[in-house]
Amino acid sequence: MWHVSVLILSLSSLVYGAPQVPCYFIFGDSLYDNGNNHALITKAKTNYPPYGIDFPTGPVGRFTNGRNTADILAELLGFETYIPPFASASGQAILKGVNYASGAAGILDETGQHLGARISFNKQLINHQITLSRIKIITAINQSAAVNLRECLYTVGIGNNDYIGNYFSPFYPTRRIYTPEQYATVLVQQYSLQLKTLHDSKARKVAVFGIGALGCTPAMITMYGTNGSLCVDFINSAVQLFNAKLVSLVDDFNNNLSNAKFIYINSYQIALTPTPTTGLSITNIPCCNATNKISFQCIPNQIPCSNRNDHVFWDAVHPTEAADVVTTRRAYNALLLQDTRPYDIQTLATS
Ligand SMILES: *[C@@H]1O[C@H](CO)[C@@H](O)[C@H](O)[C@H]1NC(C)=O
Ligand SMILES: *[C@@H]1O[C@H](CO)[C@@H](O)[C@H](O)[C@H]1NC(C)=O
Ligand SMILES: *[C@@H]1O[C@H](CO)[C@@H](O)[C@H](O)[C@H]1NC(C)=O
Ligand SMILES: *[C@@H]1O[C@H](CO)[C@@H](O)[C@H](O)[C@H]1NC(C)=O
């Protein structure tokens, strides 16, 4: 029932309001990808059932059963349609924004390479330059199609794979080279340059999603064990070192870059503090029959659980649509003071 009321709310905003921002650009990993990996040669691909079982057009490249965070955010912002993937976006549609996110992608270019092709954050930033030159052409021809890039919303959710698809993966040497503290520093230094590049391209309203509680994913629990704890504590500790440095970076940007409005979304805390009346009582068992090796994705063509609104996890690493709705609503409209810093996405969008 709760699910249905969310849908009605978002539909009514679709009917009555103009979007809160003129355009929305999405950078990130599989939590946001809506089709960019479709044509790539990679194991990080979800173009098969049971993915998309609750999405009107079926398995079209989202790494969950229904809508993902980028979709839900587009609805909350009042867009009439989801933001199209870069892989297939064309024509005037790009004036409302483009989704560059790619499953298995990371801050570091090599992250996720054991799965095959992916579009790293650096490559996503290059794709954004391609979009900007296309926009220039469209607006040069059509005088009434102006876009103010400074008024757009930009969300960036990247770094999860630099841990589960690099540092804590057996296929990479990073864990032998760096302490968790050193690795977090390496990542945030690179991330700082990348976010600066985005600002140089006129992005002013930027929401940066921190890394989630990766030590609580079924994949990491199966792989490493919990030693009597609820989650894999050393993975969560490593991730929190990164998040703490990211918070400082966001503060720095707000102090140093001209007209920058960067906000930090505390995905880690949002996942670990309860949201009232949401169900989601099954926190550690995936809904689909997932593989605990390599991709952590659903085994193709198996029937998933029917109580999808009770499960936090869809496969061994990705949340269900129901969990995405809860976390995205708190990113948009903070429930607890610490959910977002210094304010939430709704405040950023309407400021
Ligand atoms: C010009 O841009 C406006 C606003 O985006 C749009 O409604 C119109 O269809 C465009 N005209 C052409 C010829 O593409
Ligand atoms: C397991 O927990 C015990 C007690 O807290 C600790 O001494 C030990 O180092 C832990 N082992 C691992 C592998 O984390
Ligand atoms: C911002 O300025 C502070 C103090 O002037 C400096 O320590 C910091 O490195 C700067 N950060 C960035 C991202 O430029
Ligand atoms: C999951 O897959 C395993 C191995 O193929 C199979 O034995 C098991 O019955 C499956 N479980 C469900 C619920 O489909």
Side-chain angles (χ1 to χ4, degrees):
M1 283 318 284
W2 169 78
H3 216 78
V4 170
S5 67
V6 168
L7 197 65
I8 291 168
L9 265 179
S10 59
L11 282 178
S12 59
S13 72
L14 298 186
V15 172
Y16 295 116
Q20 291 158 8
V21 286
C23 33
Y24 171 27
F25 293 96
I26 298 143
F27 300 82
D29 53 30
S30 54
L31 295 178
Y32 312 87
D33 188 351
N34 64 347
N36 286 310
N37 278 19
H38 221 68
L40 302 184
I41 298 171
T42 174
K43 291 193 178 76
K45 188 143 104 172
T46 56
N47 55 344
Y48 58 85
Y51 286 95
I53 187 171
D54 298 311
F55 197 81
T57 47
V60 287
R62 288 167 175 81
F63 288 69
T64 182
N65 55 307
R67 297 164 297 162
N68 65 22
T69 294
D71 299 324
I72 298 158
L73 209 40
E75 286 181 8
L76 291 169
L77 291 163
F79 284 92
E80 284 176 31
T81 53
Y82 300 130
I83 304 301
F86 178 77
S88 61
S90 66
Q92 298 251 347
I94 66 170
L95 301 178
K96 294 228 162 70
V98 174
N99 183 337
Y100 305 98
S102 166
I107 293 168
L108 303 180
D109 289 339
E110 65 270 27
T111 285
Q113 67 187 2
H114 64 295
L115 295 169
R118 71 258 163 243
I119 307 161
S120 67
F121 187 30
N122 281 329
K123 187 75 203 313
Q124 292 179 31
L125 289 166
I126 292 170
N127 287 343
H128 186 51
Q129 292 306 314
I130 295 172
T131 297
L132 296 187
S133 49
R134 287 177 181 161
I135 289 177
K136 232 181 209 157
I137 294 169
I138 293 174
T139 53
I141 296 170
N142 184 346
Q143 304 297 327
S144 55
V147 177
N148 186 352
L149 293 170
R150 291 181 179 78
E151 288 299 316
C152 303
L153 177 70
Y154 302 77
T155 61
V156 186
I158 196 99
N160 295 291
N161 291 318
D162 294 290
Y163 285 92
I164 60 172
N166 189 329
Y167 196 74
F168 291 112
S169 166
F171 305 106
Y172 298 79
T174 37
R175 201 170 163 205
R176 292 190 297 276
I177 300 172
Y178 300 114
T179 64
E181 176 75 30
Q182 289 166 337
Y183 189 64
T185 300
V186 167
L187 290 181
V188 171
Q189 276 170 354
Q190 175 75 2
Y191 206 8
S192 165
L193 298 174
Q194 292 162 330
L195 292 173
K196 180 77 174 35
T197 299
L198 197 56
H199 181 268
D200 290 344
S201 307
K202 304 199 177 91
R204 294 296 176 269
K205 299 181 174 189
V206 184
V208 180
F209 284 81
I211 300 183
L214 300 177
C216 302
T217 58
M220 291 301 108
I221 289 173
T222 306
M223 198 159 159
Y224 288 101
T226 60
N227 195 18
S229 182
L230 276 178
C231 301
V232 186
D233 295 334
F234 62 87
I235 294 183
N236 281 348
S237 305
V239 160
Q240 281 175 292
L241 290 172
F242 172 92
N243 283 340
K245 292 180 197 297
L246 183 53
V247 166
S248 307
L249 181 65
V250 164
D251 288 349
D252 266 1
F253 277 173
N254 286 331
N255 292 331
N256 301 12
L257 297 182
S258 71
N259 301 314
K261 290 178 188 163
F262 278 66
I263 65 169
Y264 169 76
I265 308 299
N266 194 345
S267 310
Y268 188 99
Q269 143 150 328
I270 291 174
L272 292 190
T273 53
T275 309
T277 67
T278 50
L280 293 172
S281 52
I282 305 169
T283 58
N284 53 4
I285 302 168
C287 168
C288 75
N289 203 347
T291 169
N292 284 310
K293 299 204 178 89
I294 318 284
S295 77
F296 309 128
Q297 288 169 199
C298 302
I299 297 166
N301 304 312
Q302 299 221 351
I303 296 171
C305 71
S306 53
N307 55 338
R308 294 190 276 282
N309 289 348
D310 296 337
H311 282 258
V312 170
F313 285 98
W314 164 246
D315 62 17
V317 282
H318 300 109
T320 54
E321 176 184 46
D324 279 339
V325 167
V326 169
T327 52
T328 309
R329 289 182 76 84
R330 278 174 68 171
Y332 179 74
N333 190 351
L335 177 69
L336 304 177
L337 194 58
Q338 303 88 341
D339 285 355
T340 61
R341 172 190 174 114
Y343 40 76
D344 57 25
I345 293 177
Q346 183 175 32
T347 309
L348 177 67
T350 55
S351 64

